[in-house]
Amino acid sequence: MSTSMATGSAQLDATAAPPRLSIAGDWTLAHYHALERAVAAIGTPLAADVAIDTNQLGALDTAGASLLAGLLGNERLSKLASTDPHLPTAQRALLQTVGTAMAGYQEPRRARRGNALTDLLARIGAAMENIYHQQVRLLGFIGLTLQTFAQTALRPRRWRVTSLVAHMEETGLDAVPIVALLTFMVGAVVAFLGSTVLADFGATIYTVDLVAFSFLREFGVLLTAILMAGRTASAFTAQIGSMKANEEIDAIRALGLDPMELLVLPRVLAMLAALPMLTFLAMIAGLVGGGLVCALVLDISPVMFINLVKSDIGVRNFLVGLAKAPVFAFLIAVIGCLEGFKVTGSAESVGEHTTSSVVQSIFVVILLDALAALFYMEMGW
């Protein structure tokens, strides 16, 4: 065996009997391009009666062994590695390993290029499947939340009163300014638009009914729920998600505590208590905003405004709007907590699931509000 750093070569002597292939020099990565040209010049496959001479073979690595596999074929390479007495043990093992690996190699199939329609349908299908799995997980989490509430309701020692009060302050009291301000301005806008449109029909007095109906039945609870979905659901997801990323939830379980009882239940109960109160505040603020516009633009005094509301708007409208608040509150809190538990452990995951909780909460609130409106209309309420 030669120990020189000469470039490897492969020469086929077709005049000999039998034909002889002489392999010499270093078959290494440094000489790969020259070796590749030499192998291409000989052509493959070799005849079965060609003898292989490796007496002058120098250094050998996996790059050179792969070229020999392409030149000789996997079976002949493995046979050469097991029968040639001139090859050192290390080179035999290398040729045997490369031959076995090349024998099991399959050319990967090229991915079929789909057209725009099939790609669109595939993305729609994947999105629908993802929505289905999300709803299944949401239903399971709702059941787990209700089970935890049933287990702790009759055990006062397990109530997390301090946590409940803290979350009520965070979700309810701290949200009062933004809810009151937003609904006040929306009430003013509704009254202004109503007075502008109804003036063409000489019915500006019905602006009072428009504001009262819209806020008592729809706008009060809907605007409040959307604000809480963007403000509180995201906060729940970020808080629980950060704990999940820092492995604090695993530590809670290691201490023998239930994360549902410790983290989820106080947030859900706080939202159930806060959202109806905020909804009532939103209704009042919307009526005040509409009453202010009526007083300034339509010369309808506050006393007249209140008397019209009392005479034209029944208590049923107020109860219909307020009845939706606990349902919205429960779903917003559950979705926010569930997305927090889905966080995998990075800041990016926290951001993604926070966004997802807001989008899901707003979508669910609007969908249920539309279904409730249809139901109330069919029931004549």
PDB file of all heavy atoms in Angstrom, residues 208 303-315:
ATOM      1  N   VAL A 208     -84.000  58.415  21.951  1.00  0.00           N
ATOM      2  CA  VAL A 208     -83.934  57.902  23.321  1.00  0.00           C
ATOM      3  C   VAL A 208     -84.164  56.396  23.328  1.00  0.00           C
ATOM      4  O   VAL A 208     -83.430  55.639  23.976  1.00  0.00           O
ATOM      5  CB  VAL A 208     -84.975  58.607  24.208  1.00  0.00           C
ATOM      6  CG1 VAL A 208     -84.954  58.014  25.610  1.00  0.00           C
ATOM      7  CG2 VAL A 208     -84.727  60.104  24.240  1.00  0.00           C
ATOM      8  N   VAL A 303     -84.570  64.770  32.688  1.00  0.00           N
ATOM      9  CA  VAL A 303     -85.793  64.236  33.292  1.00  0.00           C
ATOM     10  C   VAL A 303     -86.685  63.614  32.231  1.00  0.00           C
ATOM     11  O   VAL A 303     -87.251  62.514  32.420  1.00  0.00           O
ATOM     12  CB  VAL A 303     -86.546  65.357  34.049  1.00  0.00           C
ATOM     13  CG1 VAL A 303     -87.882  64.835  34.580  1.00  0.00           C
ATOM     14  CG2 VAL A 303     -85.705  65.899  35.188  1.00  0.00           C
ATOM     15  N   MET A 304     -86.808  64.283  31.102  1.00  0.00           N
ATOM     16  CA  MET A 304     -87.613  63.736  30.011  1.00  0.00           C
ATOM     17  C   MET A 304     -86.982  62.462  29.455  1.00  0.00           C
ATOM     18  O   MET A 304     -87.688  61.502  29.109  1.00  0.00           O
ATOM     19  CB  MET A 304     -87.756  64.785  28.907  1.00  0.00           C
ATOM     20  CG  MET A 304     -88.650  64.364  27.769  1.00  0.00           C
ATOM     21  SD  MET A 304     -88.819  65.677  26.528  1.00  0.00           S
ATOM     22  CE  MET A 304     -89.881  64.863  25.341  1.00  0.00           C
ATOM     23  N   PHE A 305     -85.664  62.472  29.372  1.00  0.00           N
ATOM     24  CA  PHE A 305     -84.960  61.279  28.897  1.00  0.00           C
ATOM     25  C   PHE A 305     -85.263  60.090  29.798  1.00  0.00           C
ATOM     26  O   PHE A 305     -85.589  58.985  29.324  1.00  0.00           O
ATOM     27  CB  PHE A 305     -83.449  61.569  28.858  1.00  0.00           C
ATOM     28  CG  PHE A 305     -82.614  60.464  28.287  1.00  0.00           C
ATOM     29  CD1 PHE A 305     -82.297  60.435  26.945  1.00  0.00           C
ATOM     30  CD2 PHE A 305     -82.148  59.441  29.107  1.00  0.00           C
ATOM     31  CE1 PHE A 305     -81.526  59.401  26.418  1.00  0.00           C
ATOM     32  CE2 PHE A 305     -81.367  58.420  28.596  1.00  0.00           C
ATOM     33  CZ  PHE A 305     -81.056  58.396  27.244  1.00  0.00           C
ATOM     34  N   ILE A 306     -85.170  60.279  31.108  1.00  0.00           N
ATOM     35  CA  ILE A 306     -85.426  59.187  32.052  1.00  0.00           C
ATOM     36  C   ILE A 306     -86.877  58.731  31.980  1.00  0.00           C
ATOM     37  O   ILE A 306     -87.171  57.524  32.013  1.00  0.00           O
ATOM     38  CB  ILE A 306     -85.056  59.640  33.478  1.00  0.00           C
ATOM     39  CG1 ILE A 306     -83.534  59.889  33.573  1.00  0.00           C
ATOM     40  CG2 ILE A 306     -85.475  58.580  34.502  1.00  0.00           C
ATOM     41  CD1 ILE A 306     -83.106  60.471  34.894  1.00  0.00           C
ATOM     42  N   ASN A 307     -87.807  59.673  31.851  1.00  0.00           N
ATOM     43  CA  ASN A 307     -89.225  59.309  31.777  1.00  0.00           C
ATOM     44  C   ASN A 307     -89.530  58.508  30.509  1.00  0.00           C
ATOM     45  O   ASN A 307     -90.323  57.554  30.538  1.00  0.00           O
ATOM     46  CB  ASN A 307     -90.101  60.558  31.825  1.00  0.00           C
ATOM     47  CG  ASN A 307     -90.078  61.213  33.192  1.00  0.00           C
ATOM     48  OD1 ASN A 307     -89.898  60.543  34.215  1.00  0.00           O
ATOM     49  ND2 ASN A 307     -90.261  62.532  33.224  1.00  0.00           N
ATOM     50  N   LEU A 308     -88.894  58.865  29.391  1.00  0.00           N
ATOM     51  CA  LEU A 308     -89.098  58.110  28.157  1.00  0.00           C
ATOM     52  C   LEU A 308     -88.534  56.695  28.267  1.00  0.00           C
ATOM     53  O   LEU A 308     -89.138  55.741  27.772  1.00  0.00           O
ATOM     54  CB  LEU A 308     -88.442  58.847  26.977  1.00  0.00           C
ATOM     55  CG  LEU A 308     -89.141  60.118  26.501  1.00  0.00           C
ATOM     56  CD1 LEU A 308     -88.294  60.826  25.457  1.00  0.00           C
ATOM     57  CD2 LEU A 308     -90.522  59.763  25.932  1.00  0.00           C
ATOM     58  N   VAL A 309     -87.375  56.596  28.914  1.00  0.00           N
ATOM     59  CA  VAL A 309     -86.800  55.265  29.106  1.00  0.00           C
ATOM     60  C   VAL A 309     -87.705  54.418  29.984  1.00  0.00           C
ATOM     61  O   VAL A 309     -87.952  53.230  29.713  1.00  0.00           O
ATOM     62  CB  VAL A 309     -85.378  55.379  29.723  1.00  0.00           C
ATOM     63  CG1 VAL A 309     -84.856  54.010  30.132  1.00  0.00           C
ATOM     64  CG2 VAL A 309     -84.425  56.027  28.736  1.00  0.00           C
ATOM     65  N   LYS A 310     -88.262  55.013  31.034  1.00  0.00           N
ATOM     66  CA  LYS A 310     -89.128  54.265  31.956  1.00  0.00           C
ATOM     67  C   LYS A 310     -90.423  53.836  31.269  1.00  0.00           C
ATOM     68  O   LYS A 310     -90.945  52.733  31.524  1.00  0.00           O
ATOM     69  CB  LYS A 310     -89.442  55.123  33.174  1.00  0.00           C
ATOM     70  CG  LYS A 310     -88.258  55.314  34.106  1.00  0.00           C
ATOM     71  CD  LYS A 310     -88.567  56.342  35.178  1.00  0.00           C
ATOM     72  CE  LYS A 310     -89.765  55.951  36.012  1.00  0.00           C
ATOM     73  NZ  LYS A 310     -90.036  56.928  37.089  1.00  0.00           N
ATOM     74  N   SER A 311     -90.939  54.679  30.393  1.00  0.00           N
ATOM     75  CA  SER A 311     -92.224  54.370  29.770  1.00  0.00           C
ATOM     76  C   SER A 311     -92.098  53.448  28.558  1.00  0.00           C
ATOM     77  O   SER A 311     -92.994  52.634  28.310  1.00  0.00           O
ATOM     78  CB  SER A 311     -92.914  55.675  29.348  1.00  0.00           C
ATOM     79  OG  SER A 311     -92.117  56.373  28.405  1.00  0.00           O
ATOM     80  N   ASP A 312     -91.017  53.563  27.801  1.00  0.00           N
ATOM     81  CA  ASP A 312     -90.894  52.810  26.550  1.00  0.00           C
ATOM     82  C   ASP A 312     -90.051  51.540  26.674  1.00  0.00           C
ATOM     83  O   ASP A 312     -90.236  50.601  25.887  1.00  0.00           O
ATOM     84  CB  ASP A 312     -90.274  53.695  25.454  1.00  0.00           C
ATOM     85  CG  ASP A 312     -91.162  54.893  25.108  1.00  0.00           C
ATOM     86  OD1 ASP A 312     -92.351  54.861  25.490  1.00  0.00           O
ATOM     87  OD2 ASP A 312     -90.658  55.833  24.482  1.00  0.00           O
ATOM     88  N   ILE A 313     -89.152  51.517  27.612  1.00  0.00           N
ATOM     89  CA  ILE A 313     -88.216  50.394  27.718  1.00  0.00           C
ATOM     90  C   ILE A 313     -88.558  49.577  28.961  1.00  0.00           C
ATOM     91  O   ILE A 313     -88.511  50.085  30.082  1.00  0.00           O
ATOM     92  CB  ILE A 313     -86.751  50.882  27.806  1.00  0.00           C
ATOM     93  CG1 ILE A 313     -86.459  51.889  26.702  1.00  0.00           C
ATOM     94  CG2 ILE A 313     -85.800  49.703  27.733  1.00  0.00           C
ATOM     95  CD1 ILE A 313     -86.633  51.350  25.309  1.00  0.00           C
ATOM     96  N   GLY A 314     -88.890  48.324  28.771  1.00  0.00           N
ATOM     97  CA  GLY A 314     -89.239  47.472  29.888  1.00  0.00           C
ATOM     98  C   GLY A 314     -88.014  46.910  30.584  1.00  0.00           C
ATOM     99  O   GLY A 314     -86.895  46.925  30.052  1.00  0.00           O
ATOM    100  N   VAL A 315     -88.253  46.405  31.781  1.00  0.00           N
ATOM    101  CA  VAL A 315     -87.169  45.793  32.547  1.00  0.00           C
ATOM    102  C   VAL A 315     -86.649  44.542  31.856  1.00  0.00           C
ATOM    103  O   VAL A 315     -85.496  44.150  32.028  1.00  0.00           O
ATOM    104  CB  VAL A 315     -87.659  45.464  33.976  1.00  0.00           C
ATOM    105  CG1 VAL A 315     -86.554  44.824  34.806  1.00  0.00           C
ATOM    106  CG2 VAL A 315     -88.185  46.707  34.661  1.00  0.00           C
TER     107      VAL A 315
END
